Amino acid sequence: MNIKRIIFTTLCCTLSGLLFLYMLKWDWSFFIIPTLMALSVSLTNYDLISIRKKWFGILLHLSLSIILFFVTIFVTFTLSAKIGGYIIFYIGCAFGAILFALLTNIILPLQHFWSSLLIITGVSLICFPIATYIHEASWNIAPILKGRENIAIVWMILVGLGISTGIHDKRPYIGWSTTCPLLLDVQ
């Protein structure tokens, strides 16, 4: 596992989230989230891009991330009108993270796809509770994160951590066949 690259990618995602907060007052600031997230992940892992023309891989990742972002927002707000409540934010965070992981897997292959997808889904499900806690905490964790838009920053940090862990996890995979004797192939 390449800890330095995981930390570097997560740090770039964190800085992207803080840049989003700074540019929030801009009219087109909603384009910043998918753009910065895609650039943070693809540029910090430039050498691992599986497409021969790496610049094309970055442009593909960037354009598909923007489309994915709008699909996620549309699905989340459409479901919130029908379902309501806070459960829709959990679904929206997980839906966006899973789609971003699938998209990233096209140009930056995840080493152990299913376990990486499970980790990414897990960290995306805790984004909303953490963002709500930061928003409602009586003690100042970070004054810059007090607004409701902190969900984007928390999501970018945790999903960036999950994606980078999936990309750089080089440990041998211990699957069901080695841990459960009933699933071993008997010849």
Side-chain angles (χ1 to χ4, degrees):
M1 193 177 294
N2 193 342
I3 300 293
K4 290 179 185 177
R5 292 287 290 271
I6 293 171
I7 291 171
F8 184 61
T9 302
T10 306
L11 181 65
C12 286
C13 291
T14 303
L15 293 175
S16 297
L18 293 174
L19 184 63
F20 162 71
L21 266 184
Y22 178 73
M23 300 180 80
L24 189 62
K25 294 174 179 55
W26 184 47
D27 289 339
W28 294 92
S29 63
F30 53 88
F31 276 110
I32 294 172
I33 296 171
T35 303
L36 291 177
M37 186 69 177
L39 287 175
S40 294
V41 170
S42 58
L43 289 177
T44 56
N45 299 297
Y46 182 80
D47 59 326
L48 299 175
I49 294 177
S50 62
I51 298 174
R52 187 178 334 146
K53 295 185 179 183
K54 296 189 185 303
W55 62 269
F56 180 72
I58 292 171
L59 287 177
L60 179 69
H61 195 230
L62 182 65
S63 59
L64 290 176
S65 293
I66 292 171
I67 293 169
L68 171 132
F69 178 75
F70 287 112
V71 166
T72 302
I73 295 295
F74 176 75
V75 167
T76 302
F77 284 115
T78 302
L79 287 176
S80 70
K82 294 180 181 180
I83 298 173
Y86 287 126
I87 190 74
I88 197 63
F89 292 108
Y90 290 100
I91 293 170
C93 286
F95 182 69
I98 290 168
L99 288 179
F100 188 72
L102 293 173
L103 170 69
T104 303
N105 192 43
I106 294 171
I107 67 160
L108 292 162
L110 301 174
Q111 296 299 317
H112 306 295
F113 180 76
W114 292 109
S115 61
S116 298
L117 199 60
L118 185 65
I119 291 169
I120 293 165
T121 304
V123 297
S124 70
L125 288 174
I126 63 172
C127 289
F128 184 68
I130 290 173
T132 301
Y133 177 74
I134 291 171
H135 178 70
E136 296 173 353
S138 60
W139 48 280
N140 268 337
I141 295 173
I144 195 168
L145 297 176
K146 289 300 281 183
R148 270 292 176 198
E149 58 276 350
N150 69 359
I151 186 78
I153 298 165
V154 172
W155 187 88
M156 290 172 80
I157 293 168
L158 291 178
V159 172
L161 174 66
I163 294 275
S164 62
T165 302
I167 293 170
H168 296 288
D169 188 12
K170 305 282 189 212
R171 293 176 298 167
Y173 180 68
I174 300 175
W176 284 98
S177 63
T178 58
T179 58
C180 183
L182 296 176
L183 297 175
L184 290 172
D185 291 331
V186 178
Q187 294 181 358

